[in-house]
Structures are given as structure tokens and as C-alpha cells.
Amino acid sequence: MANKVVLDSASLQRALTRITYEILERNKGGQGLVLVGIKTRGEYLAHRIANRLEQLEKETIPVMAIDVTNYRDDVLAHGDHLGLDEKDSINIVDKNIVLVDDVLFTGRTIRAALDALIHIGRPKSISLAVLVDRGHRELPIRADFVGKNIPTAQNEKIQVSVEEIDGKDAVEIIH
Amino acid sequence: MQRHLILEDGTTFVGEGFGAPATTFGEIVFQTAMTGYQESITNPIYDGQMIVFAMPVVGADGIHAEAYESVKPTIRGMVVHDLAEISTNRQRRMSLDRFLKQNNIPGLCQVDTRQLIRHLRESGPQKATIVDYVDDHARDQLAATVLTKQQVQNTATPKAYANPGRGYHIVVIDFGLKHGILRMLGDYDSNVSVLPYTTSVEEVLTLDPDGIVLSSGPGDPNSLPESVFTLIRVLQTKAPMLGIGLGHELFAMANGATLNPLVAEYHGMNHPIQEIISQEIFYAMQGRGYVVDDQTVDRKKMFVTHRDLVDQSIQGLRHRDYPAFSVQFFPDGAPGPIEPNVIFADFFETVADYVEQYN
Amino acid sequence: MSNSTTKSKLNKILFLGAGPNDFGIQGENDAAIYQVLPELHGHGYHVFVVDDNPYSVALESVAATTFWEPLTVTNIKKIIKDHQIDAVAPLFGGHRALRLWNQILNEWHTDDGQIPRTLGLNPAVLRESADITQLNQLLIDAGLPVIQSKIAKSQTEVNELMRSLSLPLVVRANNPVQSNTRQIVERLDDLEQVVDEVKSQSLLDEVLISKAINGMKEVSLEVLRDYRGNCLQVGASEDMDPIGIHTADSLSVSPVLTIQDRFMEQMRSYAFQVADLLQIQGALHLQFAVSEVTGKIYIIKIAPYIDQMATRMALVTGYPMLLVAMYLSLGQAFEDIVLPHNFHPKTAMMEPMMDHIAVKLPVFPFGDLHASGVEVDRNLSSIQKSVGSTIGFGRTFIEALEKAIRAAHFNNRGFSPTYMEHISDDELIQQLIHPQDNRVLLFIEAIRRGYEVDELTELSHIDAFYFYQLKHLIALEQMVEAKIDDPNMLKQAKQAGLSDGLIARFWHSDFQSIRRLARQNDIQPTYKALEPSAGEFPENAHQYYATFETEDESTPLGKDSILVVGSGAFRLGESASGGYATTIILSELRRLQYHTVAMNNNSSDATLLPHISDKQYLEPLEISDVMAVVDKEQPQAIMVPGNRKKLIKVLEELGQRVLILPREKHLANGPENHKSEFSLNFFYDGVEVYPLIVGQHRAGEMRLLNQALDIKEDLNDLNLPSPGLYQIIWRADVNEWINQVEIPDLSHDTWLRPVSYGQVAYLSKAMGIHFLRLIVRAMLDELTPRDWEMLQMISKNPPHVQQWMTKALTNYQLHLQPSGPIDTTRFEMGVKVVNDE
């Protein structure tokens, strides 16, 4: 059966635009903002949001990437497993961090990212922006900025594609 | 019969009368859109104005039940080059000529409208009259005419009414609403309450809106009472807000900006509008005699979100602290491109977020 | 955010031409390429053009390196390799170039080297869009409204499909040999034959069957898209005739008059979605079927390339559509495009608005064929029968219509009020139901005989608006007839677009008297600028059309200008060569630094392009139209094609300096099958004759003989009217190609005629000498000593020409169903070059 497109390219763009405005609204501007994208697609989305912020605020917003693909609950030792190192700590201390991911599901990825961030430095605040919230949380984690809420069945799969690596922008449900 | 158009600056044009045979006065503006004459002449933003159409043949599509933008047109006159005769049928209930007669609106055709438009684009806004004879009496009458500044009062609803739906509760503050806005709100099945612009803050809040729309409308935004600005300043902190046309101008003023009148009003759909955040370009119907003064926009309070790339005018604003935004153009089309319909999608997403967060 | 594939440096760009003229290919692609070449050249690009059509003007552009060669995969690969081409622009060459480029990409081998970039469309999309079924599926998946069609390989499969489909049906070829093979089947009896016919035009031997949508309105939109996905609508036109008659064969009107805004906006939105889906960087033409009754809209054709709609919209809106399309294909965004200085700086990104009406009228070949004894099927259908078109501009529909009609016919012969008087009532009804070429005249006759508008609407599915307009026209004509010599009446008639000639017929007078009456009463045309902002902005306009209002915007160029009268619509015979001739002439005049004024009404030829003349009048070419422009501009000379005998006579009588470009009034028959026609071609500079070369013409092909000429007869005795290329013709029973021919006694059994424009184009390209430019120089006493030296040398040492001109295959059977063979030596549609190999 064919995939069902839940966000096409234009709606995906507009969702990112709305998230950007909401970030500015909540943060009272771009001061002290750092975007941290969760690899792989979250990083591209973080850059897109940063580009939007720049168009509006005419200032550059730093973007970092974090990789939790190798993350396991039992082995969390050093931040550098997650693609961060000591020098990144300067970038997050006393900053308002916005974590950016494509899909919010169980919450375990976010938790790993939070652990890693806190491990290397002490940000002023951390908030979470996701393109899609599909429900089925296993941890008490809530997104501050949501592109689209998409209620799903546990066995369904959400596929986010971004132009930069997938050649198109779309969010699809795969049955 | 032969009739005449006299402009305030003394210029006259001769043509053939159609519609109502009455004498009329109004401010004369031109528009360049090639479709949607019915939507234009029924749009309340033209209250008290006469429209010159650049499109040389007008009326070929008659009058349709589904293309009204208000129940009763309040334009003062219509100047065209060629009026088309049509037969009426199930789709086209009426000819343009009959429609104007029924609504007591005079029209003038067989005018060199291109010459008239080229004149108006240089001369700026002025009064005009359509009369049977050009004589001193007619000229004196025109000179003596004081055009009303009561356009909003003329077109906005004096009484609240509802357009029920099962979705979010949207309150529309009516400054001379066009149907396109209600149609779009209906597309989202929202539960709409249309309120007079004189409604008090408390009355609005009692209705517990999920979102607020400041409607488009006619006339000079400076002519509205201070209470309107207070209303906007309070409501923008309470629920997501969308301002359109005059609603956008009032939103800007409520937040400290001032407006400048344009040398020539712009009515058309051919200017590119850029959404600054995404750099995307789209086209939309515009109808404006004023523009938000760029210098007076408090950057600490508001973002400029959209610009017209032809004259660089501000086409959209957004509050930095609240989910409140506004557009100068018509996001509902009718007439005009439907690409900017997504403004309503954005509004409803914002409303959904707001409802999710606070309820 | 999409395929910005063109950011890296590219320098060498190859344009693929459209090939020979045919039904639906009238030279618009060539004109489009010709227009963008100088622009690219000016920006430092090295531009290349390949085409096989001798009538191409792009091949003679000084701004490009050009190749006049057969359009084959091998030839183009070789050009790419030899010249290290960075990028290929296939979209300007239309569907043929697109197909060819797709084929080249499919047959690209590693040893062919680096694949050049494709400008305007990415190769994967190109492949998809070349296949109708794949393209349809793409649209269906995106939720766009298309009519679903099914594939059948055999009659049996068709019969099976018939169980789920009902008549009428549309049958099309899957992957067709040529662009339009759509046929409509209304009776079951016809199905088998149509399927066979259509199947034979499919490269895959398959037909596509879908339900027919006859009776819906047909609307075309032209849009542009940049690499970032921003879209703009250039224009739209509506066909007077409903779906079922090929759009090229229908009268069509811009802007759209009878369709509500909400439907137009919906179609626009679909067009933008399709442009996005195909990730186009450039132009897209979409055809729609729309019904206001049911609210249904279908996308019925997608053309992601430059075609007649594109060049027509460029002309009727004044928007520099082709320049913009080119910049977009190079990867620029709308905001970044810098246009030549004569446009408003924001023009590229403003949607053009029209404050005039443009009516396109098809030109059919029936009359010409009838005169030669060949009858064809005149019933209009979904297969194109017209060979050309004209455009009339005005401020009302009727004015634009009248002007289009006059433009199509040069005179009012075909549009006389009594033209259809003798048709029987039965015949009238028959033709109302089965439309033919004389559509407008037939409706007028029907209205005269008392048909009601609503009856006609029902019979024809044409919007009532058009019948009301025709009723007005009839009423006006009757009033004109009744009020002889009434100046007010004259003014009204002129406002409705009637020519002096036609009014003279009504008043049993002559056009000179009408002119006099008009002058006495100050009834003069007012020329309106044709510019894309509908009066909103001052634009530095150069294009004008006449109407009768108050303000005249045209100021004369000055006393030293030259007016060039174009050749109007393409017709069977020499097709695009008329446009070729006027274009090259204008170009030469500009080179010689004359101020030039061009007059024409054909959007498919290059004559009206803004960069080759100082001013353009988009007008019919009847005597009254030309005279009005002459009155306005007071040119120092007027250049007129030699076949316009009456116009020439009138202009000369009025003391104008007329430069006559030699041209035969009637097309001559060529050689019969077993014969050869030989021509001794020579140049006449107004004083002396210079023999050039001998040509051999056998049915369907022409070659040049490599023989030195030693002419004994004194050719200077010939009485030649004006400088030009002429030829002396003789026929011989020669059944093969020869290298040498003995020149006979030229005073017996030979005849003299001007060399046809088509052959001038061939001789120029084959011999590498710009003959038309020489003719212009000769007429204006601008020939240089080098010119004379060269002319004297040619006959002694003629070039060894290895390029032959041969007729292209035109499927007359499909388009016209002629009663007998068509003399293709006279009525060729297109020609192409073949190389001596």
C-alpha cells in the first residue's frame, strides 16, 4: 500500500516557519539562542530554522549537531560519543538551547540528548522543537514547539524526508 | 445615453451610461486585475469609491450567486471600456447592468480607461462625479461634495451575529468584512461570531474566543475611535490574532506604527509579495490606499513579515511577544490568487497550539 | 529549496532547434531561440545552435556559433564533444528537441564524455514527462485532476476496456511519433478504425483510451517557475470553441473573458503545483477543460517547454517571457533577473496585466488546396487542421476579432457580409453541428436567419457572450449599410475594427473616399502602448496597436525611419520563410543604423521581436492599416513583399517610396516526379546581373550544382523591377541527380521569377552568403566594393555545396484527409537539410 503523505513540502516549510516564530516569541528574540539538531534529520531542520531566524533577526544563530544513534540507556559516559566535545561546552553554558528533532516518539532519544548536553555544560534553559509529535511517550517529555501532531498506531512508521539528503521534503506514514 | 465623468482636477471623460441613471460622487480609484469584477464591486473596501477597470471588457461573465463579497454593494460607480451583454441562466443569474440598476449604482462605459488610468496614476486620489451634463452646476456640486469618512460605519455590522461551526471559536471584529474571510473560516469549520467593532473588551472575552480576526474594511484607519486600538491591544494578549487589510493597518497602529496615504491607491494582484522568513514569493489581491510607515514600526515589538517587492511596502507584521499577526493583502483571494490561503492555515495551526497549551 | 543545479560555472550552451515546420510548429521555437541568443552572448556566454531547418533565423544569428545539420543523436553528440558543451537547452526547441535530448541522454555512453547539464528540467523528470502514462500517474499521485486513461495494445483489449467505458472516448497514441494524435470517437462503428490509425502513430504500438470531455470549455495557462519554487502566471487564454476542436483550430481570446475568477484561480493553483512537481526552471503551458456548471476542472495537456502558447503570451502581454524563461533555466530567481533597460526594473517579477483584448484566429489551408483541385475534410476535430494563425489587438472583443480576421486574409474578401448568403438551411444546421473553418461567418449567417443566442449556445456549446458580440456586429453592419457617408457611423465602424475597404463596400465607394471622410472628421486611429502593467507604471514601450479612442501614445520615430511590412500568418507553401525574410531584413536595417518600424500580426515569427526593430505595430496588414501607420510615422521608405501588388500600387500612387522585396504572388508548381527543374539563380543589384549558381529541383528535394557558369545570353536585357534574387527556370526529363547541366538557350522554354523566400533561405545557408542582407544593401545603395567583388567571383568559382534541402514528412492524411495527392512541391509544410554523405 502506498505511503500516506501527511505533510507535503509546502506544509513542512510552513511548519518550520511557525516553529521559528514561536521560538522567537517564547525566547523574546534571538539573544542567547543555540539550536542543537539531533542527527540526522534534526540537524537539517535546525539549520532551516536558523536560516529563518537570520532572515528575520539579521543575526547568526549558532547550530550544533548531536548524534544519538549509538546511544544505549546503560552506557552513557561521555558527551563525545554523541558527537559533542569539550569545546562545545562553551557554546552552551548559560545559553537558551532549543533541541530540534524530526519525530517525537517514546522520548528516549530526547532524554539521551538532554543527558549529553547537561553532561558537557550548564545551559540556561533547554526547550524542544519537533517537526512531528506522533505520541506513545515512554518518558515524561513534552515538546515546546510542534510542527504537527500526528496521532499514530504503535506499529505505523513515520518517515520524514528532507531535501538535503532525501531529495524531497515530506512527512509520510508508512503502513 | 451619453454621460460624463468629471474629476476634481477638472478633467472630463465622455462615455455611455449603464447601470443606474443617477448622479454619483465618490473617490475614484483604478484596478488592474483581469478577473473578479463582481467580487471587487461587492467588496466593502470600495465603499464610497468609484472603480475604473483596466480590464477592457467587463461583464462577460454576469453576476453569480457564489461570487458576492457582501450582500449589498456600496461602491459609488464603475467606469469601464466595454460592457458585455450576456444572457442569464442558472449559473449567471443576472447581468452586470441589471445588478447595478437594482443597487442604484451608475456605470460609465466606452471610456478611454487607459488614458484615465494613466492620468490617475500621476494625479493621485481625487473626487469624481458621473453626471448627464458637464456644466458649472456639476462642477460646483463636485467641488462642494465632502466625501464621507464613515465608510466603516456604513459597512460594518451594527449587531453581532454568528456563523456556527463545530471547530474552534473564532471572533471576527467587523470593520467592513468581505465574504471571502467567512468562507475561509468556514473551510476550517470554525464556530464564528462576527462582532461590531464597537464591542467592548469584556464582551469579547466573555465569548472565550480561540482566535480573533480583525477584518478588512474600507476607508481611513485614522477615522476610527481610540477604543478600537485598546480593544486590539488587549485581545492580542489573550488569543491568536489575524489582521487583514484594514485590520492589519489597525493592528499596526495599535502597536505604535503610523500610516501614510499612497500617492495612487493600489488595487491589483500583480505585485510579488515576499514572505521574509522563507524568502518565498507569491501574488495576492491588494486594495490599499495607505501603507504602514516603515520608520514607525517598533522593531522591539514587531517583525515585518512580508513585503511588496515592487514598492517595498510592508505587507505583513507579527507581534514579537504574542501569536498575533496581520497581512495587508487579501489572503482569501476572491478575487485573486488562492496561494495566500495558507495564511488561514497558519492561523488555525497557531490557534490549535494555543488551545493545546492553555486549555 | 529545490534543484539549484546551475550554480557552478557554465559557459558553453547548446540550443537544440525544433526542426522543420509542420502542423503546430510554425517557427515559434526558432524565434524564441533567436531572441535569447544576443542576451546570453552579451553576458559572456558562448552560445551554440543546431537546427536542420533552412528557414531558421537563429542559425543566422551573429551572437551564436551555429550548425545547420540534421538533428540526429550522432550529430549532436559530436557537437557536444567537439565544442566541450557545458549545458544543453532543450526546452526552447519545443517537444521535438525535448524528445531528442531525452533520447541522447538515454543513449549516452561513458566514452561520450561528461554529460552536459540539462537546462530547465532535470533529466529524471524529463524522462518521466516524456511518457504520458508515467506523467499522468505522477499527477494522480499528487492529487491533481487528470482524466485517467488506460493502455490497450490490441483491438481485443480495447473491446474489453469498452465494458467499463462509455462513448464518447478519446484515443491517443502512447509515446507518439508526433505531438498530437488525440482523436475522439463518438460512434462505436468508428472505434476500430481510429484505434488502428492511432496505434500506428505510437512508437510502442499502444493506444491510450479515456473518457471524452467534449463540450467543456478549453483554457490554456502559461506559467513560469524559478529554481526556488516561486511561480508566476504570464497569461491565459480561452478557446471560443469547446473541447473537441483542437485548440490551434479554435479562435481564442486573451485575457479570459467568460470564466469566473474562482475557476481561474483554481487552474492557476494547479499549474503552479504541476510546475513544482516537475521542478521546472522556466516555462510551463497547461491546458485545462473546465465546466462552470459542474465545477469540474481537468488538466488535459502539459507542455513543459516553449511552444506557440508561450510566444503568443509573450506577444500579447508584452511581458519578456522568453528572456525570463532563459534566466530561470540558468538558475536565476525572479528577483535577480536584470532585464534590458527598456523594461521597468521590476517587470520580470510582476505578473503581466492586459488592458487590451487579443484574439487569435487560425488560418486554414482549405482554400489554397481547393484552388489546386484537392478537396480535404474541412470538419474540425481534435486533430489540428490549421497551418498558421494571426492575432488581432483591440479594446473590445469585436475590434480584436475584426482585426484578426483582416490579418488572416489581408482583405475583406472572406468576411464580406454576403459571403454565406447562399448556404442552404440544411447545410447551415449541418455546419453548426459539425464545425468547419468558417465558424464565425456561419454564426453570423445563423443569427441573420433568426437563430436565437440560446439555440446557438446549445448547438455549439459556445458561451453566449460570443453570440451577443456577433449580434452587435451584425447590428452595427446593418446600421453602417443604412447610413451612407455618415461620419458618426464611420467612427463607430472604425471602433469596431472594420477596415476602410469593408466600409467602402458597404457604401459602394472606394477606400480613398472613406479615408478622406475620416480625415475631414478627424477620425484617426489612436495607438495604445502594449505593455505588461496595464497602465499602472510608465514603461518604455515600443509596441503599439491601433484603436479609436481619445489618447494616442505613439510618437513618430522621425523622418529617417523605414517601415517593414511583415508577411502575416504562415500558410501552406513557404510557411516560415516569410518570417525569416522580414526578420533578416530588419536585422540588416538595424545593422546599417536605420530606425525601423515593423508591422505584423503573427506571434510565431521573429518579425515582432523587440530587439530587432525600434518600434513594432501589432496590426493587420490591410491597406488601411498600413496607410494609418504610414500617416503616423511618415517613414522615408516602406519595404513591402512583392506579392502585395495592390498595396504597393496604392502606396506608390500616394507618393511613398516603396522598396519591393521580390516575391511571386502565386506559388508555382514544382517539377513532376520524373522531371527535374533547373534554375539559374542570379543576383540583381538594380543595375547589373550577377549569375550565382545552378540548382536542380526534383519533387521533394533541391540541390545545387558545382559548376562554373559561363552565361552567353545577356541577362542584363531582362526587365527586372527591383534589386533581388531571381531565377530562370527550365525543365528537363532528368530522373536523377546530376553534377553538370548544359545551360540551354535561356530565351526559349524558360521563365523568370523571383527566387522564393524559402529558396533564398536555402541558398544563403548553403552558400554562406546573406543574400537578403545584400538585397537590402542594394536597395539602399549601401553595397560595398567587397560585396561587388564577391558577387563577381561566385559564378566563376561556385562553392561545393554538400547540403541539400529536402521536404520534411508531413502527415497530410492524418490532418487533412485529402481527396488526392497534395502537390508537395507547392504546398510543402516544412523542409530540412540533408548532408551529402
Side-chain angles (χ1 to χ4, degrees), chain B residues 38-62:
Chain B
Q38 183 186 346
E39 289 88 338
S40 286
I41 62 174
T42 56
N43 186 341
I45 69 158
Y46 293 110
D47 182 79
Q49 294 184 318
M50 273 182 223
I51 313 175
V52 185
F53 286 82
M55 170 75 180
V57 176
V58 176
D61 198 38

Coordinates of all heavy atoms in Angstrom, one line a residue, chain B residues 38-62:
Chain B
Q38 N -17.1 41.1 -10.2 CA -18.2 41.0 -9.2 C -17.7 41.0 -7.8 O -18.3 41.7 -7.0 CB -19.0 39.7 -9.5 CG -20.3 39.7 -8.6 CD -21.0 38.4 -8.6 OE1 -20.8 37.6 -9.6 NE2 -21.9 38.1 -7.7
E39 N -16.7 40.3 -7.5 CA -16.1 40.2 -6.2 C -15.6 41.6 -5.8 O -15.8 42.1 -4.7 CB -14.9 39.3 -6.1 CG -15.3 37.8 -6.2 CD -15.4 37.2 -7.6 OE1 -15.6 38.1 -8.5 OE2 -15.3 36.0 -7.8
S40 N -15.0 42.3 -6.8 CA -14.5 43.7 -6.5 C -15.6 44.7 -6.2 O -15.5 45.4 -5.2 CB -13.7 44.2 -7.7 OG -12.4 43.5 -7.7
I41 N -16.6 44.7 -7.0 CA -17.6 45.7 -6.8 C -18.5 45.4 -5.5 O -19.2 46.3 -5.0 CB -18.5 46.0 -8.0 CG1 -19.3 44.7 -8.4 CG2 -17.7 46.5 -9.2 CD1 -20.3 45.0 -9.5
T42 N -18.4 44.2 -5.1 CA -19.2 43.9 -3.8 C -18.3 43.9 -2.6 O -18.8 43.7 -1.5 CB -19.9 42.6 -3.9 OG1 -19.0 41.5 -4.2 CG2 -21.0 42.6 -5.0
N43 N -17.0 44.2 -2.8 CA -16.1 44.2 -1.7 C -16.3 45.5 -0.9 O -16.2 46.6 -1.5 CB -14.7 44.1 -2.1 CG -13.7 44.0 -1.0 OD1 -14.0 44.4 0.2 ND2 -12.5 43.5 -1.3
P44 N -16.7 45.5 0.4 CA -16.9 46.7 1.1 C -15.8 47.7 1.2 O -16.0 48.8 1.5 CB -17.3 46.2 2.5 CG -17.7 44.8 2.3 CD -16.9 44.3 1.2
I45 N -14.5 47.2 0.9 CA -13.4 48.2 0.9 C -13.6 49.3 0.0 O -13.0 50.3 0.1 CB -12.0 47.5 0.7 CG1 -11.9 47.1 -0.7 CG2 -11.8 46.4 1.7 CD1 -10.4 46.9 -1.1
Y46 N -14.5 49.1 -1.1 CA -14.7 50.2 -2.0 C -15.8 51.1 -1.7 O -16.3 51.9 -2.5 CB -14.9 49.6 -3.4 CG -13.6 48.9 -4.0 CD1 -13.6 47.5 -4.1 CD2 -12.5 49.7 -4.3 CE1 -12.4 46.9 -4.6 CE2 -11.4 49.1 -4.8 CZ -11.3 47.7 -4.9 OH -10.2 47.1 -5.4
D47 N -16.3 51.0 -0.4 CA -17.4 51.8 0.0 C -17.1 53.3 -0.3 O -16.0 53.8 0.1 CB -17.7 51.6 1.5 CG -18.9 52.5 1.9 OD1 -20.0 52.0 1.7 OD2 -18.6 53.6 2.5
G48 N -18.0 54.0 -1.0 CA -17.8 55.4 -1.2 C -16.8 55.7 -2.4 O -16.6 56.8 -2.7
Q49 N -16.3 54.6 -3.1 CA -15.4 54.9 -4.2 C -16.0 54.4 -5.5 O -16.9 53.7 -5.6 CB -14.1 54.1 -3.9 CG -13.3 54.6 -2.7 CD -12.0 53.8 -2.6 OE1 -11.9 52.6 -2.7 NE2 -10.9 54.6 -2.2
M50 N -15.4 55.0 -6.6 CA -15.7 54.6 -7.9 C -14.5 53.8 -8.4 O -13.4 54.2 -8.2 CB -15.8 55.8 -8.8 CG -17.2 56.4 -8.8 SD -17.0 57.8 -10.0 CE -17.9 59.0 -9.1
I51 N -14.8 52.7 -9.1 CA -13.7 51.9 -9.6 C -13.6 52.0 -11.2 O -14.5 51.8 -11.9 CB -13.8 50.4 -9.3 CG1 -14.2 50.2 -7.8 CG2 -12.5 49.7 -9.6 CD1 -14.4 48.8 -7.4
V52 N -12.4 52.3 -11.6 CA -12.1 52.2 -13.0 C -11.4 50.9 -13.3 O -10.4 50.6 -12.6 CB -11.1 53.4 -13.5 CG1 -10.9 53.3 -15.0 CG2 -11.6 54.7 -13.0
F53 N -11.9 50.1 -14.2 CA -11.3 48.8 -14.5 C -10.3 48.9 -15.7 O -10.7 49.4 -16.8 CB -12.3 47.8 -14.8 CG -13.1 47.3 -13.6 CD1 -14.1 48.1 -13.0 CD2 -12.7 46.2 -12.9 CE1 -14.8 47.7 -11.9 CE2 -13.3 45.8 -11.7 CZ -14.4 46.5 -11.2
A54 N -9.1 48.5 -15.5 CA -8.1 48.4 -16.6 C -8.5 47.3 -17.6 O -8.3 47.5 -18.8 CB -6.7 48.2 -16.1
M55 N -9.1 46.3 -17.1 CA -9.6 45.2 -17.9 C -10.6 45.8 -18.9 O -11.6 46.4 -18.4 CB -10.2 44.1 -17.0 CG -11.0 43.1 -17.8 SD -9.9 41.9 -18.6 CE -11.1 40.8 -19.3
P56 N -10.4 45.7 -20.2 CA -11.2 46.5 -21.1 C -12.7 46.0 -21.3 O -13.6 46.7 -21.6 CB -10.5 46.5 -22.4 CG -9.6 45.3 -22.4 CD -9.3 45.0 -20.9
V57 N -12.8 44.7 -21.2 CA -14.2 44.1 -21.3 C -14.7 43.6 -20.0 O -14.0 42.7 -19.4 CB -14.2 42.9 -22.4 CG1 -15.6 42.3 -22.4 CG2 -13.8 43.5 -23.7
V58 N -15.7 44.1 -19.5 CA -16.2 43.8 -18.2 C -17.7 43.3 -18.3 O -18.4 43.9 -19.0 CB -16.1 45.0 -17.2 CG1 -16.7 44.6 -15.8 CG2 -14.6 45.3 -17.0
G59 N -18.0 42.3 -17.6 CA -19.4 41.9 -17.5 C -19.7 40.6 -18.3 O -20.8 40.1 -18.3
A60 N -18.7 40.1 -19.0 CA -18.9 38.9 -19.9 C -19.4 37.7 -19.1 O -19.9 36.7 -19.7 CB -17.7 38.6 -20.7
D61 N -19.2 37.7 -17.8 CA -19.5 36.5 -17.0 C -20.7 36.7 -16.1 O -21.0 35.9 -15.3 CB -18.3 36.1 -16.2 CG -18.4 34.7 -15.7 OD1 -18.9 33.9 -16.5 OD2 -18.0 34.4 -14.6
G62 N -21.4 37.9 -16.2 CA -22.6 38.1 -15.5 C -22.3 38.2 -14.0 O -21.2 38.5 -13.5

